[in-house]
Structures are given as structure tokens and as C-alpha cells.
Short mmCIF file of all heavy atoms in Angstrom, two decimals:
data_model
loop_
_atom_site.label_atom_id
_atom_site.label_comp_id
_atom_site.label_asym_id
_atom_site.label_seq_id
_atom_site.Cartn_x
_atom_site.Cartn_y
_atom_site.Cartn_z
N TYR A 1 0.83 -1.21 0.00
CA TYR A 1 0.00 0.00 0.00
C TYR A 1 0.86 1.26 0.00
O TYR A 1 0.47 2.30 0.51
CB TYR A 1 -0.94 -0.03 1.21
CG TYR A 1 -1.62 -1.38 1.35
CD1 TYR A 1 -1.36 -2.21 2.43
CD2 TYR A 1 -2.49 -1.83 0.37
CE1 TYR A 1 -1.96 -3.47 2.52
CE2 TYR A 1 -3.10 -3.07 0.46
CZ TYR A 1 -2.83 -3.89 1.54
OH TYR A 1 -3.42 -5.12 1.62
N ALA A 2 2.05 1.16 -0.61
CA ALA A 2 3.01 2.27 -0.58
C ALA A 2 2.53 3.48 -1.36
O ALA A 2 2.80 4.62 -0.98
CB ALA A 2 4.36 1.79 -1.15
N GLY A 3 1.85 3.27 -2.49
CA GLY A 3 1.32 4.39 -3.26
C GLY A 3 2.28 4.99 -4.28
O GLY A 3 1.88 5.84 -5.06
N SER A 4 3.53 4.53 -4.29
CA SER A 4 4.51 5.10 -5.22
C SER A 4 4.07 4.99 -6.67
O SER A 4 4.43 5.83 -7.51
CB SER A 4 5.86 4.40 -5.02
OG SER A 4 6.81 4.84 -5.96
N GLU A 5 3.27 3.97 -6.95
CA GLU A 5 2.84 3.73 -8.33
C GLU A 5 1.99 4.86 -8.91
O GLU A 5 1.86 4.99 -10.12
CB GLU A 5 2.05 2.42 -8.40
CG GLU A 5 0.72 2.42 -7.67
CD GLU A 5 0.80 2.17 -6.17
OE1 GLU A 5 1.92 1.93 -5.67
OE2 GLU A 5 -0.25 2.22 -5.50
N ALA A 6 1.41 5.68 -8.06
CA ALA A 6 0.52 6.75 -8.53
C ALA A 6 1.17 8.12 -8.47
O ALA A 6 0.48 9.13 -8.59
CB ALA A 6 -0.77 6.75 -7.73
N THR A 7 2.48 8.18 -8.29
CA THR A 7 3.16 9.46 -8.20
C THR A 7 4.22 9.62 -9.29
O THR A 7 4.72 8.64 -9.84
CB THR A 7 3.86 9.66 -6.84
OG1 THR A 7 5.11 8.95 -6.82
CG2 THR A 7 2.99 9.19 -5.69
N ASN A 8 4.56 10.87 -9.56
CA ASN A 8 5.66 11.19 -10.48
C ASN A 8 6.92 11.57 -9.70
O ASN A 8 7.77 12.30 -10.19
CB ASN A 8 5.26 12.32 -11.43
CG ASN A 8 4.84 13.58 -10.69
OD1 ASN A 8 4.78 13.60 -9.46
ND2 ASN A 8 4.55 14.63 -11.43
N VAL A 9 7.02 11.03 -8.49
CA VAL A 9 8.15 11.31 -7.60
C VAL A 9 9.13 10.14 -7.63
O VAL A 9 8.72 8.98 -7.52
CB VAL A 9 7.66 11.54 -6.15
CG1 VAL A 9 8.84 11.79 -5.22
CG2 VAL A 9 6.67 12.69 -6.10
N TRP A 10 10.42 10.45 -7.80
CA TRP A 10 11.46 9.42 -7.74
C TRP A 10 12.33 9.65 -6.51
O TRP A 10 12.36 10.75 -5.94
CB TRP A 10 12.33 9.44 -9.00
CG TRP A 10 12.96 10.78 -9.31
CD1 TRP A 10 12.49 11.75 -10.13
CD2 TRP A 10 14.19 11.29 -8.75
NE1 TRP A 10 13.32 12.84 -10.14
CE2 TRP A 10 14.39 12.59 -9.30
CE3 TRP A 10 15.13 10.79 -7.86
CZ2 TRP A 10 15.49 13.39 -8.99
CZ3 TRP A 10 16.22 11.59 -7.53
CH2 TRP A 10 16.40 12.87 -8.10
N GLY A 11 13.05 8.60 -6.10
CA GLY A 11 13.96 8.71 -4.97
C GLY A 11 15.18 7.84 -5.18
O GLY A 11 15.04 6.67 -5.58
N LEU A 12 16.35 8.38 -4.94
CA LEU A 12 17.61 7.65 -5.06
C LEU A 12 18.47 7.94 -3.85
O LEU A 12 18.45 9.06 -3.32
CB LEU A 12 18.36 8.06 -6.33
CG LEU A 12 17.75 7.65 -7.68
CD1 LEU A 12 18.47 8.37 -8.81
CD2 LEU A 12 17.81 6.15 -7.87
N THR A 13 19.24 6.94 -3.42
CA THR A 13 20.13 7.12 -2.28
C THR A 13 21.58 6.99 -2.74
O THR A 13 21.94 6.01 -3.40
CB THR A 13 19.84 6.09 -1.19
OG1 THR A 13 18.47 6.24 -0.77
CG2 THR A 13 20.74 6.30 0.01
N GLU A 14 22.38 7.98 -2.40
CA GLU A 14 23.80 7.97 -2.74
C GLU A 14 24.58 8.54 -1.56
O GLU A 14 24.24 9.60 -1.03
CB GLU A 14 24.06 8.82 -3.99
CG GLU A 14 25.50 8.77 -4.46
CD GLU A 14 25.69 9.47 -5.80
OE1 GLU A 14 24.75 10.15 -6.27
OE2 GLU A 14 26.78 9.33 -6.38
N ALA A 15 25.60 7.82 -1.13
CA ALA A 15 26.44 8.24 -0.01
C ALA A 15 25.58 8.57 1.21
O ALA A 15 25.75 9.60 1.86
CB ALA A 15 27.30 9.44 -0.40
N SER A 16 24.64 7.69 1.53
CA SER A 16 23.77 7.80 2.71
C SER A 16 22.87 9.03 2.70
O SER A 16 22.39 9.46 3.75
CB SER A 16 24.60 7.81 4.00
OG SER A 16 25.30 6.60 4.14
N ARG A 17 22.62 9.60 1.53
CA ARG A 17 21.68 10.71 1.42
C ARG A 17 20.62 10.36 0.38
O ARG A 17 20.96 10.04 -0.76
CB ARG A 17 22.39 12.01 1.00
CG ARG A 17 23.31 12.59 2.07
CD ARG A 17 22.53 13.11 3.26
NE ARG A 17 23.41 13.63 4.30
CZ ARG A 17 23.78 14.91 4.41
NH1 ARG A 17 23.36 15.78 3.51
NH2 ARG A 17 24.58 15.29 5.38
N LYS A 18 19.36 10.42 0.79
CA LYS A 18 18.27 10.14 -0.14
C LYS A 18 17.81 11.43 -0.79
O LYS A 18 17.46 12.39 -0.10
CB LYS A 18 17.11 9.45 0.57
CG LYS A 18 16.01 8.99 -0.39
CD LYS A 18 14.99 8.11 0.29
CE LYS A 18 13.98 7.56 -0.69
NZ LYS A 18 13.02 6.63 -0.06
N THR A 19 17.82 11.44 -2.11
CA THR A 19 17.37 12.58 -2.88
C THR A 19 16.08 12.22 -3.59
O THR A 19 15.95 11.12 -4.14
CB THR A 19 18.43 12.99 -3.93
OG1 THR A 19 19.66 13.25 -3.26
CG2 THR A 19 17.99 14.22 -4.70
N THR A 20 15.13 13.13 -3.58
CA THR A 20 13.87 12.90 -4.29
C THR A 20 13.66 14.03 -5.29
O THR A 20 14.21 15.12 -5.17
CB THR A 20 12.67 12.83 -3.34
OG1 THR A 20 12.56 14.08 -2.64
CG2 THR A 20 12.84 11.71 -2.34
N GLY A 21 12.86 13.75 -6.29
CA GLY A 21 12.55 14.75 -7.29
C GLY A 21 11.28 14.38 -8.04
O GLY A 21 10.69 13.33 -7.78
N VAL A 22 10.88 15.24 -8.95
CA VAL A 22 9.66 15.04 -9.74
C VAL A 22 10.03 15.00 -11.21
O VAL A 22 10.80 15.84 -11.69
CB VAL A 22 8.66 16.17 -9.47
CG1 VAL A 22 7.46 16.06 -10.40
CG2 VAL A 22 8.21 16.15 -8.01
N ASP A 23 9.50 14.03 -11.92
CA ASP A 23 9.76 13.89 -13.35
C ASP A 23 8.57 13.16 -13.97
O ASP A 23 8.21 12.06 -13.53
CB ASP A 23 11.05 13.10 -13.58
CG ASP A 23 11.49 13.08 -15.04
OD1 ASP A 23 10.63 13.18 -15.93
OD2 ASP A 23 12.70 12.92 -15.29
N ALA A 24 7.94 13.76 -14.96
CA ALA A 24 6.77 13.15 -15.59
C ALA A 24 7.08 11.78 -16.15
O ALA A 24 6.19 10.91 -16.23
CB ALA A 24 6.24 14.07 -16.69
N ALA A 25 8.34 11.53 -16.52
CA ALA A 25 8.70 10.26 -17.14
C ALA A 25 8.61 9.08 -16.19
O ALA A 25 8.52 7.93 -16.63
CB ALA A 25 10.11 10.34 -17.71
N VAL A 26 8.64 9.32 -14.88
CA VAL A 26 8.61 8.20 -13.94
C VAL A 26 7.20 7.83 -13.50
O VAL A 26 7.02 6.86 -12.76
CB VAL A 26 9.50 8.49 -12.70
CG1 VAL A 26 10.88 8.94 -13.11
CG2 VAL A 26 8.86 9.51 -11.77
N LEU A 27 6.20 8.58 -13.93
CA LEU A 27 4.82 8.24 -13.59
C LEU A 27 4.39 7.03 -14.42
O LEU A 27 4.38 7.08 -15.65
CB LEU A 27 3.89 9.41 -13.90
CG LEU A 27 2.40 9.17 -13.62
CD1 LEU A 27 2.13 9.16 -12.12
CD2 LEU A 27 1.55 10.21 -14.32
N PRO A 28 4.06 5.91 -13.77
CA PRO A 28 3.61 4.75 -14.55
C PRO A 28 2.42 5.09 -15.44
O PRO A 28 1.51 5.82 -15.02
CB PRO A 28 3.23 3.73 -13.47
CG PRO A 28 4.12 4.09 -12.30
CD PRO A 28 4.20 5.59 -12.33
N VAL A 29 2.42 4.57 -16.66
CA VAL A 29 1.32 4.85 -17.57
C VAL A 29 0.07 4.09 -17.15
O VAL A 29 -1.06 4.53 -17.41
CB VAL A 29 1.68 4.51 -19.04
CG1 VAL A 29 2.82 5.38 -19.52
CG2 VAL A 29 2.03 3.03 -19.20
N THR A 30 0.27 2.96 -16.48
CA THR A 30 -0.85 2.13 -16.04
C THR A 30 -0.54 1.53 -14.68
O THR A 30 0.60 1.14 -14.40
CB THR A 30 -1.11 0.97 -17.03
OG1 THR A 30 -1.34 1.50 -18.33
CG2 THR A 30 -2.31 0.13 -16.60
N ILE A 31 -1.56 1.48 -13.83
CA ILE A 31 -1.46 0.75 -12.56
C ILE A 31 -2.45 -0.40 -12.61
O ILE A 31 -3.61 -0.22 -12.99
CB ILE A 31 -1.81 1.63 -11.35
CG1 ILE A 31 -1.04 2.94 -11.35
CG2 ILE A 31 -1.54 0.87 -10.05
CD1 ILE A 31 -1.52 3.92 -10.29
N ILE A 32 -1.99 -1.58 -12.23
CA ILE A 32 -2.86 -2.75 -12.14
C ILE A 32 -2.96 -3.14 -10.67
O ILE A 32 -1.98 -3.56 -10.06
CB ILE A 32 -2.31 -3.91 -12.98
CG1 ILE A 32 -2.33 -3.52 -14.47
CG2 ILE A 32 -3.12 -5.18 -12.73
CD1 ILE A 32 -1.67 -4.54 -15.37
N TYR A 33 -4.14 -2.94 -10.10
CA TYR A 33 -4.38 -3.29 -8.70
C TYR A 33 -5.13 -4.62 -8.62
O TYR A 33 -6.16 -4.81 -9.29
CB TYR A 33 -5.23 -2.21 -8.02
CG TYR A 33 -4.50 -0.93 -7.70
CD1 TYR A 33 -4.85 0.26 -8.34
CD2 TYR A 33 -3.48 -0.89 -6.76
CE1 TYR A 33 -4.20 1.44 -8.04
CE2 TYR A 33 -2.82 0.29 -6.45
CZ TYR A 33 -3.18 1.45 -7.10
OH TYR A 33 -2.54 2.63 -6.80
N ASP A 34 -4.61 -5.52 -7.79
CA ASP A 34 -5.22 -6.83 -7.59
C ASP A 34 -5.01 -7.20 -6.13
O ASP A 34 -3.90 -7.51 -5.71
CB ASP A 34 -4.56 -7.85 -8.52
CG ASP A 34 -5.19 -9.24 -8.45
OD1 ASP A 34 -5.88 -9.52 -7.45
OD2 ASP A 34 -4.97 -10.04 -9.37
N ALA A 35 -6.08 -7.17 -5.36
CA ALA A 35 -5.97 -7.43 -3.93
C ALA A 35 -5.42 -8.82 -3.64
O ALA A 35 -4.80 -9.04 -2.58
CB ALA A 35 -7.33 -7.25 -3.25
N ALA A 36 -5.61 -9.77 -4.55
CA ALA A 36 -5.09 -11.12 -4.33
C ALA A 36 -3.57 -11.12 -4.22
O ALA A 36 -3.00 -11.99 -3.55
CB ALA A 36 -5.54 -12.03 -5.46
N LEU A 37 -2.91 -10.16 -4.85
CA LEU A 37 -1.45 -10.10 -4.80
C LEU A 37 -0.94 -9.59 -3.46
O LEU A 37 0.25 -9.70 -3.18
CB LEU A 37 -0.93 -9.20 -5.92
CG LEU A 37 -1.30 -9.59 -7.34
CD1 LEU A 37 -0.70 -8.61 -8.34
CD2 LEU A 37 -0.87 -11.02 -7.65
N THR A 38 -1.82 -9.05 -2.63
CA THR A 38 -1.39 -8.56 -1.32
C THR A 38 -1.63 -9.58 -0.20
O THR A 38 -1.28 -9.32 0.95
CB THR A 38 -2.12 -7.24 -0.96
OG1 THR A 38 -3.51 -7.51 -0.71
CG2 THR A 38 -1.99 -6.22 -2.07
#
């Protein structure tokens, strides 16, 4: 239930620092929700 799939926010960690940003390219074009998978 993280929700990352519905955002255009990315996050990367380098040298113990997490950087986040916004980029339209990282927004999934489709989300497939299936409660059986949880």
C-alpha cells in the first residue's frame, strides 16, 4: 500500500543521502491493482 505507483516522484540514495525529485517520465502509464497479490 506504498502508493509510489501513482506518483511522479522518484527517490535515489547515494552516499547515505536520499534525494527525491519530480519527473513526468517516472509516472507509470498504467497501474494494475489486484488485492489477491497482497
